[in-house]
Amino acid sequence: MDLVKEIKRLKEEKNAVILAHYYQIGEIQDIADYVGDSLGLSQKAAETDADIIVFAGVHFMAETAKILNPTKTVVLPDVNAGCSLADSCPPEAFEKFTKAHPDHVVITYVNCSAEIKALSDIVCTSSNALKIVNSIPKETPIIFAPDKNLGAYIIKETGRDMLLWDGSCIVHEAFSMDKLIELHKKYPDYKIIAHPESEEHILNTATYIGSTSGMINYVKEHQDQKFIVATEAGILHKMQQEMPNTELVPAPAKEDNTCACSECHFMKMNTLQKLYDCLLNESPQIHVPEHIIDRALLPIERMLELSK
Ligand code: 13P
Ligand code: SF4
């Protein structure tokens, strides 16, 4: 069976839209109607008139799409595609933490569960985090969760003193500083660009720090330069497609793996076959309890409003 052809046929027949993150495998990015970062994907999910949203990403992303579209069918090719960062913030413990600091505004990075979003005042992504934090009056104390690395980067950039949750992404914490130094010795004229989920010592080496879309745009604007890319390696697919003549090398991971880069095994759980199956069967579907949607929608809408 020609999976690509069949997915396209089913998509038309069922009025479905395929939204994919830059960390998805190349074949999925190539068949998607839209490929983007977390903010772009939420914006597309908010404005779609499709009946079915096929979310080629991880669970919290599909949940966000469902919160924005409670009456639509939202499917995720592999329902086990989770996120270490979202898992590092369990709702009960987080509720206790926020209750211990009732005067704090709660800003949560979109990489968290719907339950955590329901406990938040406003959501942010890596592309609007600085703007969202700066929108809070200076005298108001802030809780930022769940990513401590992004949180530390925001504190450094804005000068705000925020209370941070102790969460992190296993993929962005897997970069090896020693190997990065070695690689840079081999490619001394390459600039390092990094995602703010990376640890501070990695960020300190970077010429540019930003979201996945931000990194792609930076490379686009500097196509004559060469880059070492410190984020999940799936992003190289889009970069190489759009900038075929730009030389790119993925930042090395601590553990040796097949690509010597950092890969998110959650993102890579989705395959073309699973995408076809979920579109055909309209399963596995994402369900979010109504009382959670009621509380999680406003913090997401606030973010979308501030990001226009
Ligand atoms: P962005 O694409 O929003 O930069 O997020 C990266 C990420 O880790 C998604 O899981
Ligand atoms: Fe989560 Fe990290 Fe994978 Fe993104 S790359 S989905 S933050 S584990």
Side-chain angles (χ1 to χ4, degrees):
M1 181 169 60
D2 182 343
L3 279 177
V4 172
K5 205 169 133 200
E6 282 306 299
I7 290 169
K8 283 184 178 160
R9 184 185 64 75
L10 277 175
K11 207 179 63 147
E12 293 306 315
E13 199 178 291
K14 296 185 178 228
N15 187 29
V17 67
I18 302 174
L19 305 180
H21 190 266
Y22 291 123
Y23 298 164
Q24 292 293 288
I25 55 166
E27 293 100 309
I28 290 186
Q29 291 191 41
D30 292 346
I31 202 171
D33 296 292
Y34 175 79
V35 188
D37 70 356
S38 307
L39 177 63
L41 289 164
S42 321
Q43 287 167 328
K44 284 287 165 202
E47 69 194 28
T48 186
D49 54 9
D51 296 317
I52 299 178
I53 300 173
V54 179
F55 214 112
V58 290
H59 198 271
F60 76 81
M61 295 179 169
E63 256 184 358
T64 306
K66 182 66 182 178
I67 294 165
L68 288 163
N69 297 282
T71 58
K72 291 191 199 300
T73 299
V74 178
V75 288
L76 181 64
D78 190 321
V79 80
N80 295 316
C83 167
S84 69
L85 188 46
D87 289 347
S88 66
C89 195
E92 262 177 46
F94 188 62
E95 186 164 21
K96 226 166 132 185
F97 182 61
T98 57
K99 281 196 172 147
H101 306 283
D103 55 332
H104 285 55
V105 161
V106 180
I107 305 181
T108 51
Y109 187 37
V110 71
N111 298 40
C112 63
S113 65
E115 286 83 357
I116 298 296
K117 290 185 178 80
L119 294 167
S120 313
D121 294 303
I122 186 161
V123 169
C124 74
T125 75
S126 50
S127 56
N128 58 22
L130 298 176
K131 190 175 182 185
I132 302 272
V133 169
N134 280 327
S135 76
I136 307 298
K138 284 224 155 35
E139 55 289 357
T140 309
I142 298 172
I143 283 176
F144 186 84
D147 189 6
K148 63 176 176 187
N149 293 319
L150 174 61
Y153 168 71
I154 298 169
I155 290 174
K156 200 171 163 189
E157 290 297 306
T158 63
R160 295 295 290 259
D161 183 21
M162 306 192 297
L163 267 184
L164 301 183
W165 186 260
D166 187 14
S168 59
C169 158
I170 43 169
V171 178
H172 288 87
E173 287 205 331
F175 295 120
S176 158
M177 191 63 187
D178 293 343
K179 287 186 184 175
L180 184 61
I181 292 167
E182 278 310 304
L183 190 71
H184 203 242
K185 275 187 196 153
K186 197 171 151 196
Y187 300 109
D189 53 340
Y190 279 53
K191 299 266 161 56
I192 298 169
I193 55 172
H195 193 280
E197 284 175 24
S198 311
E199 292 173 288
E200 192 183 1
H201 55 265
I202 300 288
L203 296 182
N204 286 341
T205 68
T207 307
Y208 175 81
I209 298 166
S211 73
T212 50
S213 290
M215 293 170 84
I216 291 171
N217 289 336
Y218 188 82
V219 173
K220 212 175 271 176
E221 286 158 16
H222 302 84
Q223 289 188 42
D224 52 327
Q225 296 180 15
K226 301 169 187 178
F227 296 98
I228 295 174
V229 183
T231 192
E232 209 273 355
I235 197 173
L236 290 159
H237 177 74
K238 185 59 75 191
M239 283 181 174
Q240 217 65 91
Q241 226 171 27
E242 295 199 1
M243 284 77 73
N245 300 320
T246 303
E247 285 182 54
L248 305 166
V249 182
K254 287 172 196 151
E255 300 293 329
D256 279 329
N257 53 26
T258 45
C259 64
C261 62
S262 243
E263 281 202 330
C264 176
H265 72 277
F266 297 112
M267 285 280 182
K268 275 20 186 201
M269 282 180 179
N270 296 327
T271 62
L272 215 49
Q273 180 69 49
K274 288 181 195 169
L275 198 155
Y276 167 76
D277 290 343
C278 82
L279 187 51
L280 179 72
N281 303 320
E282 299 179 24
S283 167
Q285 273 195 40
I286 300 296
H287 297 287
V288 182
E290 220 177 289
H291 70 281
I292 298 288
I293 293 189
D294 287 346
R295 282 158 49 203
L297 182 60
L298 184 61
I300 298 171
E301 283 181 340
R302 282 185 180 137
M303 170 189 80
L304 293 175
E305 192 53 41
L306 272 172
S307 307
K308 276 181 182 163

